[in-house]
Amino acid sequence: MIIKSAEFQCSNTRTDKLPPAVLPEYAFIGRSNVGKSSLINMLVQKKGLAKTSQTPGKTQLINHFLINENWQLVDLPGYGYAKTSRSNRADWQKFISFYLRNRENLQCVFVLVDSRLEPQKIDIEFCSWLGENGLPFQLIFTKADKQSRVKTDQVVAKFRKSLLDIFEEVPEHYITSAETQDGRDEILNFIHGLNKTFTR
């Protein structure tokens, strides 16, 4: 897929104010500081489209971006550590879960996992929640340029083994780097394939 255009649409904390559900939509989510904004900017080849920050948990809204004028990319708030109150975190969880369970044009959730870390309980639990709610998802292992491929492969294998305790089959995964652009073509090709089968 060639990215011809990538434009910010809107930010929301209210699911009733989201754009009309008429285009295929793909949500990106992960623990705070997993490199989500950098990955999104790499995918669409537009530096600064998604805002990056040194402060974990900066994304506190559902951010919609229109890509190629025919599909939508959604940047969701990170789960896990964030510099905010417990009540705020609870509110985020409510509207994120409502969005994920009720957004009828949502085609896939991309769950971002830091490739440098052993399987984290919060990531496994979130994948389990997606499975319990019948939501299709794929795994994206980020920051692969920060270590050897052997180490990354070991982490991926452990993560997939942890998921096999919950699922009969483990979803596809992508090994990525915002620096080297590894994984970009594979993710965009996957999205392109789903776009072709999308019906309103």
Side-chain angles (χ1 to χ4, degrees):
M1 180 196 300
I2 297 172
I3 302 298
K4 297 177 181 176
S5 63
E7 303 297 333
F8 172 77
Q9 281 183 295
C10 60
S11 294
N12 274 293
T13 55
R14 291 180 53 180
T15 52
D16 60 335
K17 297 292 186 182
L18 298 178
V22 296
L23 295 175
E25 194 160 287
Y26 302 87
F28 288 73
I29 191 169
R31 286 188 312 112
S32 299
N33 212 28
V34 74
K36 178 163 49 70
S37 296
S38 296
L39 178 95
I40 289 171
N41 292 336
M42 180 269 281
L43 286 176
V44 301
Q45 300 282 272
K46 194 167 185 177
K47 193 174 181 180
L49 184 70
K51 304 301 181 187
T52 59
S53 172
Q54 296 302 310
T55 304
K58 182 170 183 178
T59 303
Q60 300 177 14
L61 302 162
I62 297 177
N63 295 309
H64 270 75
F65 302 94
L66 179 63
I67 314 299
N68 287 351
E69 298 186 358
N70 63 9
W71 61 278
Q72 286 161 319
L73 186 156
V74 183
D75 182 5
L76 291 175
Y79 51 80
Y81 172 82
K83 282 190 175 180
T84 187
S85 68
R86 284 187 179 178
S87 61
N88 274 354
R89 285 201 295 272
D91 287 343
W92 296 354
Q93 288 177 339
K94 284 179 185 176
F95 79 74
I96 294 167
S97 63
F98 185 88
Y99 161 79
L100 290 171
R101 286 186 283 108
N102 295 279
R103 188 66 168 169
E104 58 202 45
N105 60 328
L106 180 62
Q107 300 300 291
C108 184
V109 180
F110 289 101
V111 180
L112 277 63
V113 178
D114 192 325
S115 68
R116 302 169 298 174
L117 304 178
E118 294 289 305
Q120 302 291 300
K121 182 181 178 183
I122 193 168
D123 291 324
I124 302 297
E125 287 178 346
F126 183 71
C127 290
S128 178
W129 182 87
L130 290 173
E132 289 167 5
N133 285 274
L135 293 164
F137 69 96
Q138 304 266 288
L139 300 167
I140 295 179
F141 291 89
T142 62
K143 305 183 181 183
D145 60 289
K146 307 295 184 186
Q147 63 185 4
S148 71
R149 183 58 186 253
V150 170
K151 177 62 177 173
T152 296
D153 288 344
Q154 290 172 346
V155 170
V156 170
K158 288 179 182 178
F159 195 92
R160 291 179 67 86
K161 186 174 184 293
S162 296
L163 286 187
L164 282 172
D165 292 336
I166 305 167
F167 297 93
E168 290 184 5
E169 286 185 74
V170 178
E172 292 291 324
H173 72 270
Y174 307 91
I175 294 173
T176 69
S177 164
E179 297 296 322
T180 65
Q181 303 200 10
D182 284 356
R184 179 175 184 267
D185 289 344
E186 291 84 351
I187 294 169
L188 291 179
N189 286 341
F190 173 78
I191 291 172
H192 180 63
L194 285 185
N195 286 348
K196 289 194 294 186
T197 64
F198 178 78
T199 55
R200 293 183 186 179

